[in-house]
Amino acid sequence: MSTVAFRHGVMAADSGAWLCSGSVVMPFAQKLVKGNDNCLYGAVGQAAGAEAYFQWVKGGYQGQEPLPIPCKDDSEQSRFVILRAHPAGEVSLITAFGVERYPAAPYLAIGPGAAVALGALWAGASAVEAISAALVHADAARGEVRSISFQR
C-alpha cells in the first residue's frame, strides 16, 4: 500500500513496502518515476505490477503498456493504480477499468492515506507536506517522503 500526492508540478509518495502480509515494513520502496516526456508517475497497490509499469516508462514506453488488472477477490478494485501528471496540466488515474482524466484538478492524492493527504492539499499543503501528514495520521503510510518534479 502507498500514498501518492500531486500538486504544482511535484509528485510525492511514502517509501514503505509491506512484506509477509503486512507484518514487516521496509522503508525503501520506489513508488515514483519520471518519463522521457517529462510526465510524472506514482503507483499504489501491488508492487510487482507497478514495477512492470515503471520499467515500461523507463524504457521509453516501448512495447505493450502493462496495464493494471482487477483484483480477483473484488472486481471493483485494481491490483495497482497509477497517478499520472502531464506537464501540460492533465492529471489522470490509470486503473484496470480505464483512464480517469482530471484536466482541471489542482491537486490529487491516491492510496490508503489519500483522505489525509487530500485534506492537507485542500488546506494548501504541498505534495510533500501532504505525504508527511499521511505518514503521521494514516495507518498505511510508512517510510520517508520521496518526490519528483517536472523541474528536476
Side-chain angles (χ1 to χ4, degrees):
M1 305 305 283
S2 307
T3 303
V4 176
F6 174 77
R7 175 179 228 156
H8 297 311
V10 176
M11 190 173 288
D14 69 310
S15 61
W18 286 256
L19 303 174
C20 304
S21 300
S23 61
V24 178
V25 177
M26 309 216 338
F28 47 77
Q30 180 56 40
K31 302 174 184 182
L32 304 169
V33 68
K34 186 175 184 177
N36 60 10
D37 57 355
N38 217 26
C39 285
L40 307 179
Y41 296 86
V44 299
Q46 180 195 46
E51 180 59 27
Y53 195 92
F54 282 176
Q55 290 303 318
W56 177 77
V57 170
K58 290 176 188 176
Y61 311 106
Q62 298 297 312
Q64 185 173 347
E65 182 177 10
L67 294 170
I69 59 173
C71 291
K72 290 182 180 177
D73 60 341
D74 184 352
S75 63
E76 299 292 318
Q77 299 291 320
S78 291
R79 289 207 180 189
F80 68 96
V81 174
I82 300 291
L83 173 58
R84 175 179 59 199
H86 192 280
E90 183 176 89
V91 180
S92 56
L93 298 178
I94 301 166
T95 76
F97 310 100
V99 177
E100 301 173 17
R101 299 184 197 300
Y102 300 96
Y107 54 81
L108 194 58
I110 59 172
V116 172
L118 285 167
L121 291 163
W122 177 83
S126 69
V128 169
E129 291 167 331
I131 297 302
S132 295
L135 287 170
V136 173
H137 298 289
D139 290 337
R142 297 284 186 271
E144 298 176 358
V145 179
R146 303 241 169 95
S147 66
I148 58 176
S149 73
F150 295 139
Q151 302 303 319
R152 44 183 165 119

